[in-house]
Amino acid sequence: MLVCPVYCRFCFRREVVGPGDSMLKEGQLAAALDYIRSHPEIWEVIFTGGDPLIMSPSRLRPILAALDAIEHVKVIRFHTRVPVVDPDRVTEELVGALTLDTPVWVVVHTNHSQEIGPGARRALRLLAGSGIPLVSQTVLLKGVTTPPRRWRTCSAP
């Protein structure tokens, strides 16, 4: 099972999200890092699948330090809904773990601007204020993020 703070009905992983222990085991993580080290064509590493910011800063720190030490890794990217749905997880300690020599980008998944409440704004300001670039990704949801099928038109006088 993948670990995520929300259950999004549109998520293509929705059948496998829930409580459980799907984090890579130490041997699997070592093998993944060895693979990245041995393939210089890998220039970007993306954390996604479940929500990677569910991991504690103490769990993230050694993984990120290992990636930061790989010269050909130029970008590390996190895809997450945590700043929106569980903004209290975005702490100085988490930001410290994400602050590396290798640029770390955070792609925030949002469904609607109304999700960006005071807690989310605080979390996003903390990330951005620490120099972490933020971008957003939105799922196209009928009637929420997509225009209606029929556009009303008015004729000019």
Side-chain angles (χ1 to χ4, degrees):
M1 297 298 244
L2 301 172
V3 181
C4 191
V6 292
Y7 182 83
C8 299
R9 62 181 228 152
F10 51 80
C11 181
F12 66 90
R13 296 181 185 99
R14 68 183 170 268
E15 290 84 16
V16 295
V17 172
D21 183 20
S22 66
M23 299 285 185
L24 292 178
K25 307 295 182 241
E26 287 304 315
Q28 294 170 313
L29 178 59
L33 290 169
D34 286 344
Y35 181 87
I36 294 167
R37 282 185 198 98
S38 67
H39 286 82
E41 67 274 15
I42 297 174
W43 63 272
E44 181 176 34
V45 175
I46 301 170
F47 285 76
T48 188
D51 195 309
L53 292 188
I54 288 293
M55 284 191 283
S56 70
S58 62
R59 171 89 165 122
L60 279 172
R61 198 171 279 109
I63 299 168
L64 292 174
L67 290 170
D68 195 31
I70 302 171
E71 188 174 327
H72 59 266
V73 172
K74 303 299 182 193
V75 176
I76 299 170
R77 188 164 30 120
F78 284 84
H79 284 245
T80 182
R81 282 188 49 78
V82 162
V84 173
V85 301
D86 195 2
D88 290 338
R89 283 188 169 275
V90 180
T91 62
E92 293 284 348
E93 185 182 9
L94 175 65
V95 169
L98 298 176
T99 304
L100 308 169
D101 290 332
T102 303
V104 172
W105 286 64
V106 173
V107 181
V108 182
H109 292 214
T110 56
N111 297 326
H112 195 278
S113 61
Q114 290 177 349
E115 288 186 313
I116 311 296
R121 283 193 293 279
R122 180 207 53 80
L124 296 169
R125 270 195 299 273
L126 181 57
L127 289 162
S130 300
I132 297 172
L134 302 174
V135 294
S136 181
Q137 181 172 328
T138 300
V139 173
L140 296 177
L141 299 171
K142 184 177 180 181
V144 177
T145 56
T146 59
R149 290 192 125 176
R150 292 186 183 162
W151 288 91
R152 293 184 183 254
T153 58
C154 61
S155 53

